[in-house]
Amino acid sequence: MPTADTPVTIAVGDGHVSGAYARPANPFATLVLAHGAGAGMEHPFMRGFTGALNDDGVATLRFNFPYREAGRKFPDRPPAAIATWRAAMADAAARSAGESEPVWAAGKSFGGRMASMAVAEGMPAAGLVYLGYPLHPPGKPEKLRDEHLYGLTTPMLFLQGTRDTFATRELLEGVVSRIGPTATLQWCEGGDHSFAVAGNKRSAKEIGASLAAPVAAFMRANQPAGG
């Protein structure tokens, strides 16, 4: 039986955002997931990914950023996005209180970048998962978004398509190498920024679900001591 989503409301400053929490029996961890710049938490990719993680023993919390909640198209500035990340992580931690399970932060593109910036500013997280890290704008490899990554010591998994125009392969490999042994890069052969592969017709939900197994395996391999 699939794990059912429970709608939640997360207070952020004077406002609030929507979330969806799912908790399978006896989860070994919780993963909080933020969407990318162009789609919200209900996108089939997001639902497919969290649903497959639930089946693999991970509790999940998806949430919207304020701009998406308000129906705006332009993403929030980092301070607002980071404040939302802090609120979502605190909500997830409260829901798993007493279970001693680690709480991870993950995001598609913009959502993952904002998670890393939040952790760089002190937000607690057992680890970080990037589903297509936007290392630079397409066609502008000189505009790297990497400076804050080098101070992070938490386990990090970069899942990236080999055709992703937001991360030149050599540049991303160099960044991960400079971060050090806490960072792992896993390439998805032929995948673009949405992990779609030319000639392989899959729905967005199926694509999202296909990424859950490597993420769950990485989380299990990097369980905190006593976790």
Side-chain angles (χ1 to χ4, degrees):
M1 284 287 292
T3 305
D5 280 344
T6 299
V8 300
T9 299
I10 302 169
V12 184
D14 295 331
H16 68 274
V17 296
S18 300
Y21 182 70
R23 187 175 184 84
N26 303 312
F28 73 88
T30 292
L31 181 138
V32 182
L33 178 66
H35 57 79
M41 71 174 192
E42 294 298 345
H43 191 276
F45 177 96
M46 303 281 285
R47 295 181 68 94
F49 178 67
T50 56
L53 278 179
N54 298 154
D55 293 342
D56 208 350
V58 180
T60 57
L61 173 64
R62 305 191 309 275
F63 68 92
N64 276 336
F65 286 112
Y67 80 94
R68 190 74 190 184
E69 194 76 14
R72 299 191 302 269
K73 291 185 177 181
F74 194 77
D76 298 306
R77 301 293 297 169
I82 289 170
T84 308
W85 253 115
R86 286 183 176 276
M89 288 293 281
D91 185 276
R95 294 177 188 279
S96 62
E99 303 299 329
S100 299
E101 70 197 44
V103 180
W104 288 63
K108 176 73 182 78
S109 192
F110 168 81
R113 179 176 165 236
M114 292 300 108
S116 66
M117 292 176 70
V119 171
E121 292 191 10
M123 183 183 79
L128 285 157
V129 175
Y130 309 113
L131 305 178
Y133 187 83
L135 182 62
H136 56 74
K140 298 180 179 179
E142 71 280 3
K143 294 188 176 181
L144 293 182
R145 302 157 172 160
D146 63 335
E147 287 186 3
H148 67 284
L149 295 173
Y150 303 116
L152 302 180
T153 58
T154 186
M156 285 182 277
L157 174 63
F158 291 78
L159 280 181
Q160 205 86 19
T162 56
R163 293 191 302 116
D164 190 341
T165 57
F166 284 80
T168 304
R169 184 165 187 157
E170 292 77 12
L171 289 176
L172 184 57
E173 288 176 345
V175 168
V176 172
S177 175
R178 287 191 293 277
I179 292 171
T182 57
T184 297
L185 172 57
Q186 185 169 331
W187 290 106
C188 297
E189 189 60 42
D192 62 13
H193 194 54
S194 297
F195 295 93
V197 177
N200 185 358
K201 298 188 71 173
R202 296 181 297 169
S203 68
K205 184 176 181 180
E206 291 172 326
I207 293 172
S210 73
L211 303 179
V215 170
F218 185 80
M219 292 170 70
R220 281 192 171 92
N222 289 276
Q223 281 278 79

